[in-house]
Amino acid sequence: MASPLLSSGFSDALVILGAAGLVIPAFARANISPVIGFILVGLLVGPFGLGALVKSYPWLYHITISDPHAIEPFAEFGIVLLLFSIGLELSFKRLWSMRQLVFGTGAAQLIASGIILGTGLHLLMGLAWTGSMALGIALALSSTALVLPIAGTASPVGRTAFAMLLFEDLALVPIIFVLGALGPMAAAAGWAGFVKVGGLAVLTVAILFVGGRLLLPRLFAQAARTKSPELFLAASLLVVIAASLATTAAGLSPIVGALLAGLLIAETDYHSEVEVMTAPFKGLALGVFLITVGMSVDIGAILADWSSYLLGIAAVVAIKAVVTFALLRLSGLGGGVAAETGVLMGSPSETTLIVLGAAGQAQLLAPGLTSFWQTVTAIGLTITPLLAMLGKRAAKRIELRGDTLPEAEISPEGPGTVVIGFGRVGRMVCDMLAVHGQPYVAVEADIDAVTAARAEGYPVIFGDVVRPELVDRLNLGRAKALILTMNDPVLSVSMTRRVRGWVPDLPIIVRARDTAHAAQLYKAGASDAVPETLESSLQLAEAVLTDLGVAVGPVIASIHEKRDELRQEIKAAAEMEVLPRLKRVRGIIRTESSPA
């Protein structure tokens, strides 16, 4: 009897779990979304990758997916959990606070992009209007899983993208509903069947909504009283699966039920706990889904018809970027932010694959056409980080042309103090210079930060200090001081060395990460180096020891001893003839030179 460990299911599970264990940490370390990693893993281990070589090299069986169709149920469950988590993130209060951007610009962006794409597909490919519009709406969706980690939600680009993505997440309900109602069950019986299926679906959703509002708080209250995480997780998964089965029985997609379940739980007091409990399952199941996406990508087919795929992805990105840019400009947003947001939102989404699958099940799209656009979507997801870089470059070009706010002027007599980097630290330094009436000019490479700072009245120049022409423009020979606050240790050392060789007498004060970095800065020619974590660590240690009951005198003495050790370390590492003195000034550690 063959061992169950040699079964294809066990081998496939090993490959998936191994991919999750390798892909997520590796891509997280490189600040790249695991979505791309899972797609590439699916491409590598799938039937069009290493799986095609199993007959010639049997040992590859253990590191490839032998039966792609066997893992499709797990992939579908991943999508169900993804839509459930989207529902958990939505609430009526959150929607109301962003209603203008969400239901105004967000709705216009999705509808306009979908209509333009759908009309183009109808005219160029001869598709029926129902199929072309379903395909257009699917391609008009953008990736929540990729865009938000790249842009965040604090920057102007992130906030704008989040609002539009929020509407797209909401729009999934009616989109999937309509596609499900247009399916074979309705089509076979004509308009009467359509009305019957639609009515049954509306009734099912209404029952779920009313029943959920009445039963879910009681269900989760009972689960919470047991203080059993296992029971709480089981209750959460039960709600998701039951709602999905109910909408499936009504002729709709199971993800409608999952999204509705998330929305209902989001209105209870238990949504945070449910979100934490289900997050690991969602991440792993979504990874399985993305691996199946990668396995569906046929490199041979792409190479054989590369021009069609290139045209498809280029057209989708260009149309969505232009529509988004135009709508954001009409809403009064700055050109740089509008351009970066438009390009970033240009690629299709992981939810595009959901809508394509629903359209295929409804027989609105032929299997071959669905497969083609699934491959285009997979390519679009993979190039999203590249689009983010292109969007930033486009924003920089627009801002450099003075599209929004005037740039700070540098006086011929000198700029005063020059502050490189206008983040949290740089802003604080500039505020203190302004309080004491000291003229200054700040330089920042993040166009969003520059735009926001100029709007608040700060004299900030956009530019990258790596470029020699920018350094020349700063007129450092007439400056009073140079302060480097950027969080890039290599760049701060090289910048210090370059400026010191050019302006030997200029005071250069640099933000250092630690004592080792401070020593490197002194060797490069810094006048003062400020280790950012040093004093906070000493203050934390002092507070802990005092709270533990240790006498204040010995604690202070040990803090002084530690400072002396750090002085010796910096002196030795920097090969200094004098001993640096660590002086505490209003909670900031300042490094000065003093006789040994």
Side-chain angles (χ1 to χ4, degrees), residues 167-184:
F167 178 81
E168 292 181 5
D169 294 337
L170 284 175
L172 277 176
V173 175
I175 290 172
I176 299 299
F177 178 88
V178 171
L179 291 177
L182 289 172

Side-chain angles (χ1 to χ4, degrees), residues 317-337:
V317 171
I319 290 173
K320 291 175 64 178
V322 170
V323 170
T324 304
F325 173 79
L327 289 172
L328 291 177
R329 289 294 283 154
L330 289 174
S331 67
L333 209 60
V337 175

Side-chain angles (χ1 to χ4, degrees), residues 453-497:
R454 289 184 192 170
E456 296 176 26
Y458 288 95
V460 182
I461 295 173
F462 169 75
D464 190 348
V465 293
V466 175
R467 303 201 324 260
E469 58 270 23
L470 175 63
V471 179
D472 294 339
R473 179 184 166 202
L474 292 174
N475 198 7
L476 292 177
R478 295 179 179 271
K480 292 183 178 180
L482 173 65
I483 302 176
L484 305 179
T485 70
M486 59 273 203
N487 189 23
D488 186 335
V490 176
L491 179 59
S492 60
V493 171
S494 64
M495 183 72 180
T496 301
R497 184 178 295 111

